[in-house]
């Protein structure tokens, strides 16, 4: 019993091991509930169900933040909520890319949840690696934070000034070309399978082929890795606690993936969200230099400013695109 207590209360990356274990149990439980109970059968997910799923994940994230407040204090809890908000917001653009990938490979809606679900497992691993490396760099080289701040400022200004969002050329994606060169890939889907065994022409021998469903999964993982280049430095600018950084990242991603089916149909209305996100990045980047020159910005102020900027961008977008909504409704009725 003494050995178990020693293990549970031994710090891992600055936080007691038992806190990490509680987080892991919660995430595993959510994933088992999602795929093993709610979505055992492949089917289309409608907007209402997507919103309900997001509400469930969001509620768990909020309650986790409350628990962090009781266990670690108000400051880490506010940093957790700020990180959760920033991560979800910065990942909004990823919805566009995921929708493009599914469209490019002609993935039916009933299989899209399966791809997104298994993509989460890759995200859990990739984010752990990136955050672990980032935490080590910040711990041993404090000046790295200023590089993060300069990068966020540059990214925010570039995002605000860019007039063309651009669409990735999926057909010529180097990763996709590499996979096609080094793996056998079918031209058509084979149901819900990422891999199938098919007989070689003229022989009785069956070999393994990847399907377009697997290619979609690979590109979605790659897209998340690219977007993480912005989001991970942004959260390290809020807090350098690996526990807060990682848990807020994972809860945000879980919620966003469940919200995908609702967001994919509404993203055309968030025309000013890009500028709100740019201002958030600029604010967070400036916060790092302010901390070094003047003093630390209170966590409550960071959360309030971030929430205010994003809420303003969303509300302004919805107000300015009311005519688009009416036009879409008239087109649907016609």
């Amino acid at each position: 019993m003494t050995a178990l207590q020693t293990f549970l209360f031994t710090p891992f990356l600055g936080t007691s091991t038992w806190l990490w274990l509680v987080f892991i149990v919660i995430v595993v439980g959510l994933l088992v509930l999602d795929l093993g109970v709610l979505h055992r059968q492949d089917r289309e997910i409608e907007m209402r169900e997507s919103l309900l799923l997001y509400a469930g994940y969001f509620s768990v994230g909020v309650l986790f933040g409350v628990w962090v407040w009781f266990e670690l204090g108000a400051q880490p809890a506010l940093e957790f909520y700020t990180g959760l908000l920033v991560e979800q917001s910065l990942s909004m653009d990823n919805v566009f890319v995921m929708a493009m990938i599914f469209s490019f490979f002609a993935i039916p809606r009933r299989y899209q949840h399966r791809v997104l679900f298994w993509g989460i497992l890759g995200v859990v691993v990739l984010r752990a690696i990136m955050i672990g490396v980032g935490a080590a760099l910040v711990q041993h080289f404090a000046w790295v934070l200023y590089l993060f701040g300069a990068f966020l400022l540059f990214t925010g200004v570039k995002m605000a000034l860019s007039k063309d969002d651009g669409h990735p050329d999926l057909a010529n994606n180097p990763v996709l070309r590499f996979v096609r060169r080094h793996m056998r890939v079918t031209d058509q889907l084979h149901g819900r399978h990422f891999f199938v065994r098919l007989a070689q022409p003229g022989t009785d021998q069956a070999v393994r082929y990847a399907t377009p469903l697997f290619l979609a999964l690979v590109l979605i993982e790659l897209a998340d890795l690219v977007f993480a280049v912005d989001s991970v430095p942004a959260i390290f600018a809020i807090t350098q606690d690996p526990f807060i950084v990682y848990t807020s990242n994972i809860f945000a991603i879980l919620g966003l993936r469940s919200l995908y089916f609702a967001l994919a149909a509404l993203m055309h209305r968030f025309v000013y969200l890009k500028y709100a996100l740019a201002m958030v990045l600029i604010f967070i980047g400036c916060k790092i230099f302010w901390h070094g020159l003047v003093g630390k910005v209170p966590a409550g102020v960071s959360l309030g400013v971030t929430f205010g900027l994003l809420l303003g961008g969303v509300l302004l977008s919805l107000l300015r695109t009311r005519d688009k909504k009416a036009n879409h409704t008239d087109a649907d009725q016609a």
Side-chain angles (χ1 to χ4, degrees):
M1 184 61 70
T2 302
L4 178 61
Q5 289 180 340
T6 301
F7 169 74
L8 291 177
F9 287 93
T10 299
F12 176 71
L13 295 178
T15 304
S16 297
T17 301
W18 76 272
L19 294 173
W20 285 101
L21 291 176
V22 169
F23 165 71
I24 292 172
V25 169
I26 292 173
V27 171
V28 171
L30 289 173
L31 295 178
V32 170
L33 176 65
D34 193 330
L35 190 65
V37 179
L38 299 178
H39 301 102
R40 294 182 62 183
Q41 302 296 327
D42 294 316
R43 56 183 174 80
E44 293 188 15
I45 296 179
E46 303 298 335
M47 183 178 294
R48 180 177 180 275
E49 182 180 358
S50 177
L51 293 173
L52 289 175
L53 284 172
Y54 173 74
Y57 279 116
F58 182 77
S59 298
V60 174
V62 170
L63 292 175
F64 186 84
V66 173
W67 180 68
V68 169
W69 191 306
F70 279 105
E71 294 295 337
L72 301 178
Q75 178 82 9
L78 291 174
E79 292 172 348
F80 170 83
Y81 287 130
T82 306
L84 183 69
L85 182 62
V86 168
E87 172 60 32
Q88 285 203 350
S89 304
L90 293 178
S91 298
M92 287 289 188
D93 282 348
N94 209 358
V95 173
F96 284 113
V97 177
M98 290 189 291
M100 289 179 59
I101 292 171
F102 285 139
S103 176
F104 178 78
F105 291 107
I107 306 298
R109 285 177 61 88
R110 65 180 180 274
Y111 298 137
Q112 291 178 8
H113 179 269
R114 178 175 173 81
V115 176
L116 294 176
F117 175 86
W118 289 108
I120 288 174
L121 300 183
V123 169
V124 169
V125 176
L126 290 175
R127 291 296 174 98
I129 295 173
M130 294 184 69
I131 290 171
V133 172
L137 288 174
V138 170
Q139 182 178 2
H140 292 89
F141 308 101
W143 51 266
V144 169
L145 272 179
Y146 294 100
L147 291 182
F148 285 171
F151 174 75
L152 293 174
L153 284 171
F154 171 78
T155 304
V157 172
K158 181 180 178 181
M159 184 184 296
L161 297 179
S162 65
K163 296 182 179 180
D164 182 15
D165 293 333
H167 298 289
D169 185 5
L170 297 180
N172 294 315
N173 183 278
V175 173
L176 184 59
R177 293 206 307 267
F178 176 85
V179 173
R180 289 187 182 277
R181 282 199 307 266
H182 293 82
M183 296 182 67
R184 301 181 183 89
V185 181
T186 64
D187 294 327
Q188 297 180 339
L189 289 170
H190 289 262
R192 66 199 299 268
H193 301 293
F194 293 111
F195 296 94
V196 292
R197 297 188 67 86
L198 300 175
Q200 292 288 80
T203 69
D204 294 332
Q205 183 182 5
V207 296
R208 183 182 296 272
Y209 280 78
T211 70
L213 208 65
F214 174 74
L215 298 183
L217 176 62
V218 170
L219 288 189
I220 284 177
E221 290 295 311
L222 177 65
D224 180 81
L225 186 62
V226 171
F227 280 98
V229 174
D230 287 340
S231 63
V232 170
I235 296 184
F236 268 111
I238 296 168
T239 177
Q240 289 80 61
D241 185 340
F243 181 75
I244 301 300
V245 173
Y246 188 62
T247 55
S248 61
N249 253 257
I250 298 306
F251 275 115
I253 292 169
L254 287 173
L256 183 68
R257 293 296 170 95
S258 64
L259 191 59
Y260 164 80
F261 298 95
L263 282 179
L266 297 174
M267 286 301 293
H268 68 279
R269 297 197 61 194
F270 297 137
V271 293
Y272 293 110
L273 182 60
K274 179 183 76 170
Y275 301 104
L277 293 175
M279 293 176 67
V280 169
L281 290 177
I282 293 172
F283 167 71
I284 295 174
C286 290
K287 215 180 72 164
I288 294 177
F289 294 97
W290 181 273
H291 180 275
L293 296 174
V294 180
K296 188 172 183 179
V297 177
V301 173
S302 296
L303 179 59
V305 171
T306 302
F307 181 77
L309 289 172
L310 295 173
L311 180 62
V314 170
L315 292 179
L316 183 60
S317 296
L318 295 177
L319 288 174
R320 294 296 297 272
T321 57
R322 285 178 296 180
D323 293 338
K324 289 185 179 181
K325 179 182 178 182
N327 291 336
H328 276 278
T329 302
D330 293 340
D332 292 340
Q333 292 176 349

